[in-house]
Amino acid sequence: MEKMDLINEINRLKIEKNAVIMAHYYQRKEIQDIADCIGDSLALAQWAAKTDADIIVLCGVHFMGETAKILSPNKKVLVPDVAAGCSLADSCKAAEFAEFIRKNPGHKVISYVNTTAEVKALTDVVVTSTNARQIVESFPEDEKIIFGPDRNLGNYINSVTGRNMLLWNGACHVHEQFSVRKIEKLKEVYPDAKVLVHPECKGSVVSLADKVGSTAALLKFAVNSDSNVFIVATESGILHEMQKQAPEKTFIPAPPEDSSCALNDCNYMKMNTLEKVYNALKNETPEIIIDKELSEKAVKPIARMLEISEKLGL
Ligand code: 13P
Ligand code: SF4
């Protein structure tokens, strides 16, 4: 089907089925352009909890679909390509994480949203990159905390809060690859450029940042900043919304160390296509299904995150 026909059909099916399309900033441009809501992981969870649509088409990766389903168990949640995983979530298997918790008794467990439902079920409170700092700070200073699975985000939060959380040794393959050397070279060409860095990047890259934050925070900073040039060290899908909201500004994707790999794209995020969105809506599949008992355990730390975020106005 031609692109315009696909878009028309998606819009028709959306109305017919009372469906809503939610997309993460890392999705392909053409998916961002047809989405009803586009946001970061926290915003997607907040929308999923509140929507009155019957069907949520979650254009993101599997854990985002799971989170939406856990928050809205009576709705049908579709992820256009259900094989869209996440290397960070994969780096933390529930059985191993449970063993880690068992070996370190007396700790509260904070997990990044980039985890499976099974890992969330082992967790006291979930965080995203938007609220991780504030949620960690909401615990007493002497609270012993296990933080998983992202060691880079954990190290960053430790450094800004002065905490000493025990970290799971996981990472995202996209954010790990940004190169200090190449960002410094770019800064020689664009000395006035501001460097925007997602906290999943290595500490050496974070140390170059003018702004460290979630995708939503980086977007807001870029739009409101007096600067006109930005080097962006996160998945390149965010550049689409940045360019849309600030068309007069220049956004340069930070290069990976290995130039032979195409761009800083998340291959999982890019698995969803317009065609797959159309098929998902038409066939109402692939659907995210979660065992009821697991869902009832996993919802508690996510609901706790949403409550704290609401109190904090996030
Ligand atoms: P955000 O919390 O910024 O949406 O990050 C999600 C993610 O997958 C980063 O790799
Ligand atoms: Fe996971 Fe990294 Fe892709 Fe985000 S960018 S979904 S953390 S693999």
Side-chain angles (χ1 to χ4, degrees), residues 62-63 66-67 70 89-90 92-99 101 109 111-124 126 288-299 301-302:
H62 190 269
F63 77 81
E66 274 192 341
T67 306
I70 291 166
D90 286 347
C92 188
K93 303 282 180 240
E96 291 163 23
F97 196 54
E99 184 60 9
I101 295 168
V109 180
S111 294
Y112 195 31
V113 71
N114 299 39
T115 44
T116 60
E118 287 80 359
V119 167
K120 289 186 176 81
L122 300 167
T123 296
D124 291 301
V126 166
I288 301 284
I289 307 281
I290 304 179
D291 171 75
K292 192 165 176 281
E293 203 181 318
L294 173 61
S295 182
E296 282 168 4
K297 281 188 192 153
V299 76
I302 309 175

Side-chain angles (χ1 to χ4, degrees), residues 23-83:
H24 190 270
Y25 291 124
Y26 294 165
Q27 290 292 285
R28 293 171 186 271
K29 293 178 193 162
E30 58 274 22
I31 292 183
Q32 295 189 40
D33 289 342
I34 52 125
D36 299 296
C37 12
I38 154 168
D40 68 352
S41 306
L42 177 63
L44 293 176
Q46 289 168 327
W47 289 324
K50 287 191 181 144
T51 181
D52 52 16
D54 295 316
I55 297 179
I56 299 171
V57 183
L58 200 303
C59 299
V61 292
H62 190 269
F63 77 81
M64 294 176 173
E66 274 192 341
T67 306
K69 181 68 183 174
I70 291 166
L71 287 166
S72 277
N74 299 323
K75 299 194 189 302
K76 194 171 265 190
V77 176
L78 309 170
V79 173
D81 191 326
V82 83

Side-chain angles (χ1 to χ4, degrees), residues 3-43:
K3 186 175 167 195
M4 256 339 278
D5 295 335
L6 270 177
I7 294 172
N8 290 338
E9 275 303 288
I10 288 170
N11 287 331
R12 184 184 65 75
L13 286 165
K14 224 170 54 177
I15 295 166
E16 184 186 303
K17 300 194 178 200
N18 189 28
V20 63
I21 299 180
M22 300 182 183
H24 190 270
Y25 291 124
Y26 294 165
Q27 290 292 285
R28 293 171 186 271
K29 293 178 193 162
E30 58 274 22
I31 292 183
Q32 295 189 40
D33 289 342
I34 52 125
D36 299 296
C37 12
I38 154 168
D40 68 352
S41 306
L42 177 63

Side-chain angles (χ1 to χ4, degrees), residues 74 134 158 164 173-174 191 260 263 278-279 293 302:
N74 299 323
Q134 291 94 325
N158 273 344
N164 187 24
H173 73 296
V174 178
S260 66
L263 258 181
Y278 164 69
N279 285 329
E293 203 181 318
I302 309 175

Side-chain angles (χ1 to χ4, degrees), residues 24 26 41 60-61 63-64 85-89 112 114 150 171-175 198 200 234-235 264-269:
H24 190 270
Y26 294 165
S41 306
V61 292
F63 77 81
M64 294 176 173
C86 167
S87 55
L88 181 52
Y112 195 31
N114 299 39
D150 189 21
C172 155
H173 73 296
V174 178
H175 287 86
H198 196 283
E200 285 176 27
T234 188
E235 211 270 359
N264 27 44
D265 279 345
C266 172
N267 48 318
Y268 298 115
M269 283 281 182

